[in-house]
Structure formats: structure tokens, C-alpha cells
Amino acid sequence: MRDLRDRCSAQGIAFFHKQWGGLTPKSGGRLLDGRTWDEFPQVSTIEQLRFSTSAQSN
């Protein structure tokens, strides 16, 4: 998991770590190296405009 996070970081790609494996959400936890990773990709202004325009036409 750390390798994937590090490769994402090196390329400027958002990294979201939901949880370690387990039968329940708390069994594995969400921490990776002492923190949660909740990054999401940036949405460009063009994509925001496209989405709002298509939502208005429906």
C-alpha cells in the first residue's frame, strides 16, 4: 500500500486509502503511517461547468 501511495504522490495523483482488509470497517482501520489519506482529484472548472450545464438541461 505504501508503494502505491508513494507512486501516486510522485506523479501528483490523489490517493484515497479507504481501509485495510477485514470483516468490519474497524477491524483493519484507516490509518496508513499514522494518518488518513482522503485525497480526491481536482475537478477542473471546465468539468464543473459541463456538469452544471448538463444537470440544468435535465
Side-chain angles (χ1 to χ4, degrees):
M1 188 60 63
R2 287 176 182 92
D3 180 57
L4 178 60
R5 180 215 41 213
D6 294 345
R7 288 187 285 148
C8 287
S9 180
Q11 296 295 316
I13 297 170
F15 178 76
F16 185 94
H17 175 64
K18 184 175 179 184
Q19 71 186 49
W20 293 103
L23 297 177
T24 65
K26 293 189 180 226
S27 65
R30 296 197 60 228
L31 294 180
L32 175 62
D33 292 337
R35 66 166 277 201
T36 57
W37 295 84
D38 295 333
E39 299 172 347
F40 285 93
Q42 293 286 329
V43 178
S44 71
T45 303
I46 293 170
E47 289 298 317
Q48 290 174 353
L49 289 173
R50 189 179 316 166
F51 178 75
S52 67
T53 303
S54 66
Q56 291 173 1
S57 65
N58 289 330

